Amino acid sequence: MTARVLSIGAATQDILLQGGAAFKPWHHKGVDYERLPLGSKLEVENVMFSTGGGACNAAVTFARQGLHSMFMGTIADDPAGHAVLKALDDDDVDTVQISYDEKYGTGYSTILLAPNGERTVMVYRGASGYYQKKNFNLKDVAADWIYLSSMAGKMEVIEYIISQAAEKNIKVAWNPGGGELKQPAKVKALLEDVEVLILNKEEMQLLVEGNSTEELARHALNYVPTVIVSDGPHGAVAAHNEKLVKAAMYEDVKVIDRLGAGDAFGSGFVTRIAQDRSLEDAVTFASANSTSVVTKIGAKAGILHANAHIHDMPLEVKELQK
């Protein structure tokens, strides 16, 4: 039976500006910046329109991999909202659960792409920053999994979603955002009803002790059955029960745009878990999906389809002590 996955979180319209020399990184006191001098007029090389948002991106991964993919989030009846709907429809994502906000516009991001693939994102969260519990009622939702991404720190809404999922025996994969991680005690209190926790190294260090991705993954297993900790080009560590898998880089590629790489990684991992595949397969596909995404401009262009070739990658498998 095809797994049914409901992605919950943000949907935005994105405008991507490729600036070349205008957005060349400037290194100052250990930090890279993009400099935009006041009063200046900067030439950009290319302008692209796309759609994004963590849950929106994840929903496309699930759909392209043949799962029954649904999206639940809040947009407005405006041009950006129409663009979001069209993009999801084009990828056969079920949008019946979308809600509409009459006060705030659809989320909107302007992304300044540096030549090295890094970016600066200017965000208008709009409707995605004012979630209301009434819009996330799961009563009529038939799903096997929920992929829960950033909810702008609205912990009361997140608690409502996770508690409903527990009552309906829906498994939850959670990729908390910055707003949630500023409230670590509240995040930890909800983890007993979470099946998979997805964070990068720096984010996980806000929840548990550890200097390495392996230490962090081991400690996170005290809270959830399955955890994956990513560390950009340094690979990732996933753990479940008594098994831990360390992954190196999937493939050395030219990075064009890192936007959406984290979403592709997390949703790629959950795709294989929802398909009852092994931890090794899940890590490999997550890595392949995120690697493909960084070779294209925009968060969705590189998301893999079901017929994509996935090659093996360096993995180290360890058995954990009970």
Side-chain angles (χ1 to χ4, degrees):
M1 180 179 174
T2 302
R4 301 163 297 179
V5 185
L6 174 67
S7 301
I8 302 179
T12 65
Q13 183 172 41
D14 298 339
I15 178 170
L16 301 101
L17 305 179
Q18 197 169 22
F23 301 148
K24 184 177 180 180
W26 173 59
H27 193 75
H28 179 66
K29 295 183 178 181
V31 179
D32 285 333
Y33 296 89
E34 288 180 313
R35 291 194 290 183
L36 303 175
L38 287 174
S40 64
K41 181 180 289 187
L42 304 177
E43 297 285 340
V44 297
E45 296 176 354
N46 200 5
V47 179
M48 293 142 286
F49 290 88
S50 181
T51 58
C56 193
N57 298 335
V60 171
T61 290
F62 301 134
R64 291 187 185 178
Q65 287 298 307
L67 280 64
H68 179 78
S69 179
M70 301 167 279
F71 172 76
M72 176 182 276
T74 305
I75 60 174
D77 184 11
D78 57 13
H82 300 162
V84 166
L85 278 176
K86 183 180 185 307
L88 290 172
D89 288 342
D90 287 347
D91 270 298
D92 294 322
V93 176
D94 185 337
T95 58
V96 170
Q97 301 298 331
I98 282 182
S99 55
Y100 292 85
D101 194 300
E102 296 182 357
K103 182 176 180 181
Y104 299 99
T106 301
Y108 194 96
S109 295
T110 300
I111 298 126
L112 313 182
L113 300 176
N116 64 352
E118 294 294 348
R119 78 286 187 207
T120 298
V121 183
M122 294 178 286
V123 180
Y124 164 70
R125 298 200 181 277
S128 293
Y130 297 91
Y131 296 116
Q132 300 179 61
K133 288 170 60 175
K134 67 179 183 179
N135 293 326
F136 296 90
N137 190 320
L138 303 182
K139 179 182 178 181
D140 297 323
V141 173
D144 303 299
W145 282 85
I146 286 174
Y147 183 92
L148 182 59
S149 66
S150 175
M151 297 287 289
K154 298 296 188 293
M155 296 303 296
E156 69 282 359
V157 179
I158 293 170
E159 181 179 4
Y160 180 57
I161 292 167
I162 292 177
S163 64
Q164 290 180 91
E167 291 173 2
K168 299 188 67 171
N169 294 315
I170 301 173
K171 294 179 179 179
V172 175
W174 193 11
N175 178 210
E180 290 82 65
L181 293 171
K182 290 178 181 177
Q183 307 168 76
K186 292 183 179 181
V187 170
K188 289 181 182 180
L190 295 175
L191 292 179
E192 65 178 344
D193 291 320
V194 171
E195 182 73 19
V196 180
L197 180 62
I198 307 156
L199 289 171
N200 65 35
K201 180 181 178 181
E202 291 74 21
E203 292 168 337
M204 191 65 81
Q205 286 174 325
L206 298 174
L207 293 183
V208 299
E209 296 291 329
N211 294 315
S212 68
T213 50
E214 181 172 340
E215 287 179 328
L216 292 165
R218 287 173 180 267
H219 292 161
L221 283 179
N222 293 317
Y223 294 92
V224 293
T226 307
V227 61
I228 185 159
V229 186
S230 60
D231 192 18
H234 302 295
V237 171
H240 173 71
N241 290 337
E242 290 86 47
K243 182 190 284 187
L244 183 142
V245 176
K246 296 181 69 173
M249 182 184 292
Y250 178 75
E251 193 175 287
D252 189 10
V253 298
K254 179 176 175 57
V255 176
I256 304 300
D257 176 16
R258 295 189 188 277
L259 187 71
D263 301 327
F265 186 87
S267 58
F269 183 80
V270 174
T271 293
R272 290 296 186 257
I273 296 297
Q275 293 171 329
D276 294 322
R277 303 279 283 274
S278 69
L279 198 62
E280 293 92 329
D281 283 345
V283 173
T284 300
F285 181 67
S287 303
N289 202 35
S290 60
T291 298
S292 178
V293 163
V294 302
T295 65
K296 303 286 195 303
I297 292 178
K300 294 193 182 78
I303 291 175
L304 295 174
H305 291 265
N307 60 355
H309 172 68
I310 309 298
H311 62 68
D312 292 336
M313 65 180 295
L315 297 175
E316 178 184 349
V317 181
K318 295 183 178 181
E319 296 298 323
L320 301 176
Q321 297 289 333
K322 288 186 179 181

